[in-house]
Amino acid sequence: MKKIKNIFLLTCVFLFVFSFYGCSKPNDNSNNPETETHRHIYSMATCITPATCEICGKTYGGVSNHNYTQGTCNTPAQCQVCGKVSENPIPHTFTEATCTSPKTCKYCGLTQGTTIDHKYTIANKTTPAKCKMCGKLYGHTIDNIYNIMQKPALPNGCEVVSLAIVLNYLGYDIDPLTLYNDYMPKSPYKAGDPWETYVGDATGLGLGCYAPCVALTGNRYLGYLGSQHRVYTASGKELSEYEKYLDEGIPVIFWGLINMNGVDRYAWNDYFNGEKVVWHSFSHCLVLIGYTDNGYIFCDPLEGVIEYPKADVEKSFEINFRQACVILK
């Protein structure tokens, strides 16, 4: 009796296992189609149908989850099998705000908040500060003008270096030393009129020169080339009038004082043609290239690209006779 019971249990186990792994469909190549069976070969379950044997149609388990596409805020996710649209809302995908645009959804264009401030680089010896994001120059500043340092070649040659800065901006390939040696009128140290000549030696012991001398130097060079450009003195104007030149992309050769320090002190004076001529201790020539609400931006041959407060610029400009030059066609 116990042996019969064991045989019965083994038979039940066999039938249970066979129901999972045995396929009741006959094999087409079998010589005994009524009895030949196979392991089930299940297809992948979908959200519509469970896993199904490809031979006998037997199913296993339940249906799977929906296979949704990547939805956006204006296009909901949709099942790629049954077409069901997801009821879960997709949040906006915002780009970061910049100085030109607020946070913006890259799918639907919805904006959030406002633009942010420009992120400026630091001005250096040759180039002004520029926004890292949009490329805007700091303040109302002329683009593509590059400073030239006067040292070591011309330690006292800020005037001719400033002239070279503007000429190079206009496309003339001229170095300051050549401009000084070949085109600038000169007189001995403390023995000439700075309104007409460079007094001294710009490469060594020298004082400098004033606007008419710089205009003459530039026009000698431009005349030699047969250029239509000319250097004009533009002295005696209010500072706000020079801003109009800057708005038109015209840099201004400008006389002030070193660091716009406002110190009114003579280094030398003499008489020429019955007129008293004076030279200020801190006389300095540089190129005005931009302005902000509170300051003026210069290509300074001594300091690099730099901004000086408007009040300091006004005082130094007044001390040095409100001199300026521009190059026009």
Side-chain angles (χ1 to χ4, degrees):
M1 184 69 182
K2 184 175 181 180
K3 185 176 181 180
I4 295 173
K5 185 177 181 180
N6 288 338
I7 293 173
F8 176 76
L9 289 172
L10 288 172
T11 302
C12 288
V13 169
F14 173 79
L15 291 175
F16 176 76
V17 172
F18 182 78
S19 68
F20 277 96
Y21 295 103
C23 180
S24 60
K25 282 283 183 94
N27 185 337
D28 291 341
N29 297 321
S30 172
N31 293 324
N32 188 4
E34 298 299 326
T35 60
E36 185 71 9
T37 59
H38 298 275
R39 181 186 297 273
H40 291 292
I41 302 174
Y42 287 108
S43 63
M44 293 292 293
T46 70
C47 55
I48 300 174
T49 58
T52 303
C53 178
E54 297 175 356
I55 300 174
C56 69
K58 178 179 177 61
T59 61
Y60 175 73
V63 296
S64 66
N65 295 327
H66 293 286
N67 183 17
Y68 286 111
T69 58
Q70 181 66 46
T72 68
C73 53
N74 59 358
T75 303
Q78 188 172 21
C79 179
Q80 300 180 78
V81 178
C82 70
K84 176 180 172 60
V85 175
S86 173
E87 297 177 356
N88 297 322
I90 306 297
H92 295 286
T93 304
F94 286 104
T95 58
E96 291 297 321
T98 69
C99 52
T100 57
S101 61
K103 286 184 177 181
T104 304
C105 178
K106 65 181 182 179
Y107 295 111
C108 71
L110 177 71
T111 59
Q112 185 181 85
T114 60
T115 57
I116 62 175
D117 293 336
H118 295 285
K119 293 183 178 180
Y120 288 106
T121 59
I122 298 173
N124 56 36
K125 297 291 185 183
T126 58
T127 56
K130 182 179 288 189
C131 178
K132 299 175 183 178
M133 294 180 286
C134 71
K136 180 185 183 299
L137 293 173
Y138 176 66
H140 301 273
T141 307
I142 296 173
D143 200 1
N144 297 318
I145 185 167
Y146 300 97
N147 191 45
I148 301 173
M149 303 302 287
Q150 66 190 71
K151 294 179 180 180
L154 292 158
N156 288 301
C158 56
E159 300 90 354
V160 74
V161 172
S162 294
L163 175 61
I165 290 170
V166 179
L167 286 170
N168 277 272
Y169 165 71
L170 293 172
Y172 298 97
D173 186 13
I174 181 70
D175 68 276
L177 190 58
T178 299
L179 200 58
Y180 171 72
N181 287 331
D182 296 350
Y183 299 99
M184 179 164 273
K186 306 171 188 67
S187 60
Y189 182 68
K190 292 186 178 182
D193 186 347
W195 295 99
E196 297 178 356
T197 63
Y198 184 94
V199 181
D201 180 3
T203 67
L205 183 61
L207 292 177
C209 61
Y210 290 148
C213 178
V214 167
L216 175 60
T217 302
N219 287 329
R220 282 180 172 180
Y221 169 70
L222 294 168
Y224 170 77
L225 296 178
S227 170
Q228 294 182 353
H229 279 110
R230 287 293 179 269
V231 185
Y232 299 93
T233 58
S235 303
K237 300 178 184 293
E238 295 298 319
L239 288 178
S240 59
E241 294 186 59
Y242 296 110
E243 294 177 11
K244 297 175 183 178
Y245 284 116
L246 301 177
D247 291 339
E248 295 176 7
I250 301 170
V252 180
I253 302 170
F254 189 96
W255 275 257
L257 301 176
I258 292 174
N259 300 128
M260 300 298 173
N261 62 25
V263 177
D264 188 359
R265 186 172 69 204
Y266 291 171
W268 169 74
N269 67 86
D270 206 338
Y271 285 87
F272 292 91
N273 300 319
E275 297 288 335
K276 184 178 180 179
V277 174
V278 301
W279 188 261
H280 292 280
S281 297
F282 298 100
S283 180
H284 188 44
C285 185
L286 54 175
V287 181
L288 178 61
I289 64 169
Y291 63 94
T292 64
D293 290 342
N294 301 309
Y296 286 105
I297 302 167
F298 293 89
C299 282
D300 186 335
L302 275 177
E303 299 294 335
V305 179
I306 190 169
E307 180 181 3
Y308 293 114
K310 283 187 174 181
D312 294 349
V313 173
E314 173 62 38
K315 185 175 181 180
S316 295
F317 186 51
E318 179 66 28
I319 289 171
N320 217 353
F321 312 117
R322 305 189 77 84
Q323 297 177 79
C325 288
V326 292
I327 302 179
L328 305 171
K329 276 190 177 181

